[in-house]
């Protein structure tokens, strides 16, 4: 992970062995979306030895992010998420290579934007917009890139129900349901997702909020666990341990 701090990889090597650790260190992971899921996934990947990152997000850290995002502190409010995440990675591993793109992915610009970046070994989709998520799936399948996509975590409280599986095997989750339908329309192949069959809980809307102005809620622990689970899938894939 870091030639500067060799002890940083000692515990990893005990589990992975030198060769598998080397595979992870020589890998590149692209993370799309640096919110609760994406930022915590990045942190786990950086601590897990991944050597190169491509980070894509168009937002700044907000006060409402403080309850769940790895990059959200009072000191980082107002800063660009790609910048804060890059700083976090380099504070964990000064030898990491990090490329950032501060942009909002749309269905019509996904191919152009992602193709201009270094080609990753793995893509983590942690964005919310369905049309962009579908375009990311299409881009990964066209370029033969391993993808894992995050489904819905809003208004859910039981992380023990989270599961990594193929999209075709999901049920109950509203986002996954739309993704299944739209993927079929577009002729996309099945792909790997993290989802939960837990029904979303009703929102306790703030006083004066209407149905449309009420937002999805998030528990402090839920998106970080999602990010950590996705990181585990990525690391097991890069090391080859997923296929033993």
């Amino acid at each position: 992970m870091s030639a500067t701090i060799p002890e940083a990889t000692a515990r990893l090597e005990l589990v992975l062995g030198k060769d598998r650790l080397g595979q992870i260190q020589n890998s590149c992971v692209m993370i799309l979306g640096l919110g609760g899921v994406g930022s915590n996934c990045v942190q786990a990947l950086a601590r897990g030895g991944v050597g190169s990152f491509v980070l894509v997000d168009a937002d700044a850290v907000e006060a409402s992010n403080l309850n769940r995002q790895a990059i959200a502190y009072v000191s980082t409010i107002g800063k660009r998420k790609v910048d804060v995440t890059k700083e976090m990675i380099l504070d964990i591993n000064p030898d990491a290579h990090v490329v950032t793109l501060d942009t909002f992915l749309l269905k019509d610009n996904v191919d152009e934007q992602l193709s201009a970046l270094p080609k990753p070994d793995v893509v983590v989709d942690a964005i919310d917009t369905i049309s962009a998520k579908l375009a990311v799936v299409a881009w990964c399948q066209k370029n033969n890139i391993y993808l894992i996509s995050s489904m819905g975590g809003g208004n859910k409280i039981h992380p023990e129900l989270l599961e990594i599986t193929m999209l075709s095997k999901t049920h109950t989750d509203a986002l996954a349901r739309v993704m299944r339908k739209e993927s079929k329309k577009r002729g996309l192949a099945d792909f790997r997702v993290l989802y939960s069959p837990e029904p979303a809980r009703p929102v306790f809307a703030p006083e004066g909020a209407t149905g449309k102005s009420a937002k999805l809620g998030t528990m402090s622990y839920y998106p970080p666990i999602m990010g950590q689970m996705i990181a585990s899938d990525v690391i097991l894939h890069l090391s080859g341990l997923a296929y033993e």
Side-chain angles (χ1 to χ4, degrees):
M1 180 164 69
S2 173
T4 308
I5 312 172
E7 296 86 354
T9 62
R11 297 299 180 94
L12 294 170
E13 190 170 338
L14 288 172
V15 179
L16 295 165
K18 186 175 182 178
D19 291 342
R20 285 196 177 95
L21 177 58
Q23 289 172 210
I24 295 170
Q25 291 171 323
N26 292 323
S27 67
C28 176
V29 180
M30 177 183 286
I31 300 91
L32 309 177
L34 300 172
V37 176
S39 64
N40 283 283
C41 181
V42 170
Q43 185 182 71
L45 292 174
R47 295 189 189 282
V50 171
S52 297
F53 293 84
V54 179
L55 311 175
V56 181
D57 195 291
D59 290 333
V61 178
E62 299 178 357
S64 61
N65 303 151
L66 288 167
N67 79 315
R68 67 196 183 281
Q69 298 187 11
I71 54 174
Y73 297 88
V74 172
S75 62
T76 62
I77 291 173
K79 296 182 180 179
R80 306 308 298 175
K81 287 186 177 180
V82 289
D83 296 335
V84 179
T85 307
K86 180 176 180 177
E87 289 177 9
M88 178 181 70
I89 292 169
L90 296 177
D91 206 13
I92 295 168
N93 177 11
D95 297 326
H97 182 254
V98 185
V99 173
T100 64
L101 177 62
D102 191 338
T103 194
F104 189 75
L105 290 178
L106 302 169
K107 64 177 182 179
D108 296 327
N109 71 8
V110 162
D111 195 293
E112 178 185 1
Q113 297 277 17
L114 299 189
S115 295
L117 296 166
K119 185 177 180 180
D121 300 292
V122 174
V123 169
V124 172
D125 161 32
I127 57 180
D128 298 324
T129 309
I130 291 174
S131 59
K133 291 176 84 72
L134 291 162
V136 168
V137 175
W139 183 79
C140 288
Q141 293 185 358
K142 181 179 74 172
N143 291 283
N144 195 31
I145 298 172
Y146 184 88
L147 166 74
I148 179 166
S149 181
S150 174
M151 297 293 105
N155 289 6
K156 297 183 179 183
I157 63 173
H158 290 290
E160 69 273 17
L161 298 178
L162 285 162
E163 178 184 359
I164 294 174
T165 187
M166 302 303 287
L167 179 68
S168 62
K169 295 182 179 180
T170 61
H171 60 88
T172 309
D173 183 273
L175 176 56
R177 180 170 62 250
V178 176
M179 290 292 288
R180 288 196 309 271
K181 179 181 177 181
E182 295 301 321
S183 292
K184 186 175 181 180
K185 282 184 184 178
R186 290 160 173 75
L188 298 173
D190 209 1
F191 57 95
R192 205 155 174 81
V193 300
L194 171 69
Y195 97 109
S196 170
E198 178 187 359
R201 297 171 64 84
V203 175
F204 290 94
E207 185 176 349
T210 66
K212 287 189 175 180
S213 64
K215 298 181 179 180
L216 288 175
T218 46
M219 298 298 284
S220 62
Y221 54 82
Y222 203 95
I225 290 172
M226 292 178 72
Q228 294 277 343
M229 288 183 68
I230 290 175
S232 74
D233 185 79
V234 172
I235 288 172
L236 293 177
H237 168 75
L238 291 172
S239 66
L241 285 171
Y243 309 103
E244 287 191 346

